[in-house]
Amino acid sequence: MSSTNTGPIPPLSTAQPECDPRRWWGLVVIAVAQLMVVLDATIVNIALPSAQRALHMSDGNRQWVITAYTLAFGGLLLLGGKIADLVGRKLTFMTGLVGFAAASALGGAAQTSGLLFMSRALQGAFGALLAPSALSLLTTTFTDVRERSKAFGIYGAIAGGGSAIGLIAGGLLTEYLNWRWCLYVNVPIAVIAFLGAGAFLRDDRRRGEGRPRLDIPGVLLGCGGLVAIVYGCSEAEPRGWGDARVLGLLFGGAALLGLFTWWQTRAPSPLLPLRILRNRNRAGAVMTMALAVIAMFGMFLFMTYYLQVVCGYSPVKTGLAFLPLTAAIIIASTQISARLMTHVPPRALIVPGALFAASGLFLLTFLPVEPAFTSHVLPSEILVGLGMGLIFMPVMATATSGVAPRDSGVTSATVNTAQQVGGSIGTALLNTIATSTSATYVAAHLRTAAAEAGGRLTPAVRDTVVKTGVVHGFNVAIAWASGIMLLAAVVGGLMVTTGAPKHAAPAGPSDPARTEAEERHHMRAYEPGEPTG
């Protein structure tokens, strides 16, 4: 971004904007809503076998309980962020809550698999309204640097630990109630958040101002491209990456996103103003987020199977086994990142965090066939949790810093899109690596064992070879996840070069009339090599 200006630059105000006295209660509301959205991506994982039996789903169709949600959520996030900027974040936030609760109730009452799939898609669509408006409300509510760091520490803990909390909640609800409560539980949470939003969140709709029209071609190209890529990644899991449909979806999605980028340079009111991603620090933060989530979601997938299949844990015990990971994320986000963010550059937290997480993942590459929670899984969870807690908060704060109020919704959607698409790609990519590696291992070792036994294999020998092959596949896939996390450390270290913040973030609800010159002035505070105070 150029540092030249077309006119005199207004001086950076030393007076802090008036703080909303209800802002901390507003943070509670935002946190509750965000937790609901994040945990819903994993809460049904442990309940899926029960739902499959109850609704007579085939093995080929059961993945749509997960895919329908991630497809709608990941594909519509940019649209949801733009809607938040156009009609107001609070209105969009409350609409998302109502829709999410209604879709959850519909899914809980579903008597057919088709109705459950539809309700999960509706959850994803309303989640795409809710998530970016929640993050942009947080960005515009907390303008003081120290308060902003605390708020993002809490938000980062939820973003990183919500998936693990979903596994815990799914196990408890499935074992002690039934799978339907994994969906019904969202209704009271959404009602509480809706009432809190009405009482504590500031309505930022700017009445009387001319609002730009929605970029319909951008919506079709951008959302279509994201949907195609997320769908392609989900289909890669059962079909393989070389399948014609998978390749068609991935290349088609990439082509649509290329056309989307071209159109955004010409659209009168672009869905994603490219000035948002021209900032090196913001682009680096978004890339770091995507890479870190790719690696982390692989760990969730494999550890769930390892604990239940190899260790023989029940759904509840499996969920509770993720508690150390959740606790480590919360501690690192709220007690380390939030305290250090105002004193050190973001990459001083991001790089060590990614290295911690990569080390924890690398430890899992030595998983034995025998249960090894204490010796391998527990220390890995602590390292990965500390690492992700150090990563999430500075990444989100950096990605949303220095953004004009009119762009905060779509910027927040971009961060959420990186997280969601990263999770979808990570699940499909690493699961494909694991299953193909396991299949190769099992086939080779069964042939060897059969040759040694004269062509006759006992069931015990066959089961041992299969279990060993499954764990071997986990080890290889998690090694890839560790490498991806190391790449996140490199990207964060090289691209996120901004210094520690020295002043309040410029975007705030009390300053809607900021001029273009002021925005350029404040954005330069986040450019590499320039002072931040």
Side-chain angles (χ1 to χ4, degrees):
M1 183 174 177
S2 173
S3 60
T4 59
N5 294 292
T6 58
I9 302 236
L12 184 64
S13 174
T14 58
Q16 297 292 340
E18 182 182 354
C19 293
D20 187 346
R22 302 168 298 177
R23 61 193 181 282
W24 292 108
W25 283 108
L27 174 62
V28 173
V29 173
I30 293 169
V32 168
Q34 179 65 13
L35 178 62
M36 180 180 69
V37 172
V38 173
L39 66 82
D40 220 72
T42 56
I43 193 171
V44 299
N45 282 21
I46 294 178
L48 186 54
S50 300
Q52 182 180 1
R53 289 192 298 270
L55 300 182
H56 310 291
M57 296 180 213
S58 67
D59 288 344
N61 286 335
R62 66 184 177 187
Q63 56 108 7
W64 280 103
V65 176
I66 309 298
T67 304
Y69 181 83
T70 58
L71 196 63
F73 190 34
L76 298 175
L77 271 167
L78 281 178
L79 177 60
K82 190 64 175 180
I83 291 173
D85 286 335
L86 294 181
V87 305
R89 299 166 192 83
K90 179 177 177 180
L91 176 61
T92 307
F93 181 82
M94 297 179 74
T95 302
L97 284 170
V98 172
F100 201 92
S104 299
L106 179 65
Q111 298 301 316
T112 65
S113 59
L115 187 58
L116 179 59
F117 299 156
M118 184 182 73
S119 69
R120 289 288 287 168
L122 286 173
Q123 278 186 305
F126 283 106
L129 277 181
L130 191 55
S133 56
L135 183 54
S136 59
L137 279 167
L138 184 69
T139 302
T140 55
T141 298
F142 291 90
T143 55
D144 176 76
V145 160
R146 294 187 182 278
E147 290 189 349
R148 183 184 176 93
S149 296
K150 293 177 183 178
F152 270 99
I154 295 170
Y155 191 90
I158 292 170
S163 298
I165 294 172
L167 295 172
I168 298 170
L172 291 170
L173 291 171
T174 301
E175 188 153 328
Y176 293 113
L177 293 172
N178 62 54
W179 68 269
R180 296 182 183 277
W181 279 96
C182 292
L183 296 165
Y184 284 143
V185 71
N186 292 323
V187 177
I189 296 175
V191 170
I192 293 170
F194 183 87
L195 296 175
F200 301 119
L201 294 180
R202 177 177 294 183
D203 191 342
D204 64 341
R205 287 174 293 176
R206 285 165 270 175
R207 297 176 177 84
E209 292 187 11
R211 295 173 185 151
R213 292 178 299 174
L214 191 62
D215 176 19
I216 300 299
V219 170
L220 296 176
L221 291 171
C223 295
L226 287 173
V227 166
I229 288 176
V230 174
Y231 183 32
C233 290
S234 67
E235 287 293 286
E237 196 170 333
R239 294 174 177 270
W241 291 95
D243 182 77
R245 176 185 292 186
V246 172
L247 292 175
L249 287 167
L250 294 178
F251 283 111
L256 287 175
L257 290 181
L259 289 173
F260 169 76
T261 303
W262 170 82
W263 171 248
Q264 295 309 284
T265 64
R266 290 160 175 77
S269 178
L271 178 65
L272 175 59
L274 295 183
R275 62 179 177 270
I276 290 173
L277 294 178
R278 290 194 185 108
N279 180 277
R280 174 176 174 172
N281 294 293
R282 185 171 301 113
V286 170
M287 291 175 62
T288 302
M289 169 69 81
L291 291 168
V293 171
I294 287 174
M296 188 179 73
F297 266 62
M299 177 189 179
F300 284 143
L301 176 68
F302 301 131
M303 285 303 94
T304 300
Y305 277 100
Y306 180 80
L307 293 171
Q308 292 197 44
V309 175
V310 177
C311 298
Y313 286 7
S314 67
V316 170
K317 193 173 181 180
T318 299
L320 293 177
F322 282 96
L323 270 178
L325 174 68
T326 306
I329 290 175
I330 292 172
I331 291 170
S333 294
T334 60
Q335 301 303 313
I336 302 176
S337 283
R339 294 177 184 272
L340 293 180
M341 187 61 186
T342 56
H343 303 290
V344 300
R347 64 176 172 179
L349 297 172
I350 294 172
V351 174
L355 293 177
F356 271 127
S359 300
L361 290 170
F362 183 72
L363 180 61
L364 290 178
T365 63
F366 301 100
L367 277 176
V369 176
E370 300 77 22
F373 179 81
T374 304
S375 61
H376 289 72
V377 177
L378 179 59
S380 173
E381 286 189 2
I382 294 172
L383 285 171
V384 173
L386 290 174
M388 297 307 294
L390 290 174
I391 291 172
F392 271 112
M393 183 266 180
V395 160
M396 288 184 173
T398 302
T400 56
S401 291
V403 178
R406 68 174 184 272
D407 291 333
S408 64
V410 73
T411 304
S412 302
T414 304
V415 179
N416 279 284
T417 299
Q419 186 176 356
Q420 187 62 33
V421 173
S424 299
I425 292 174
T427 301
L429 171 64
L430 297 175
N431 189 60
T432 301
I433 292 172
T435 53
S436 60
T437 302
S438 295
T440 302
Y441 181 97
V442 169
H445 283 73
L446 283 178
R447 285 195 301 268
T448 302
E452 293 175 351
R456 295 182 179 180
L457 286 178
T458 64
V461 171
R462 182 180 295 274
D463 289 345
T464 299
V465 171
V466 170
K467 183 177 287 190
T468 304
V470 169
V471 174
H472 175 68
F474 292 170
N475 292 342
V476 173
I478 292 174
W480 278 86
S482 181
I484 293 170
M485 191 65 78
L486 287 175
L487 181 58
V490 173
V491 171
L494 294 179
M495 294 190 67
V496 184
T497 56
T498 184
K502 303 293 185 183
H503 55 75
S510 61
D511 193 14
R514 184 179 310 282
T515 65
E516 290 291 333
E518 285 179 292
E519 289 168 10
R520 288 197 301 271
H521 172 65
H522 293 307
M523 282 290 289
R524 290 204 315 280
Y526 299 92
E527 290 292 331
E530 296 197 21
T532 56

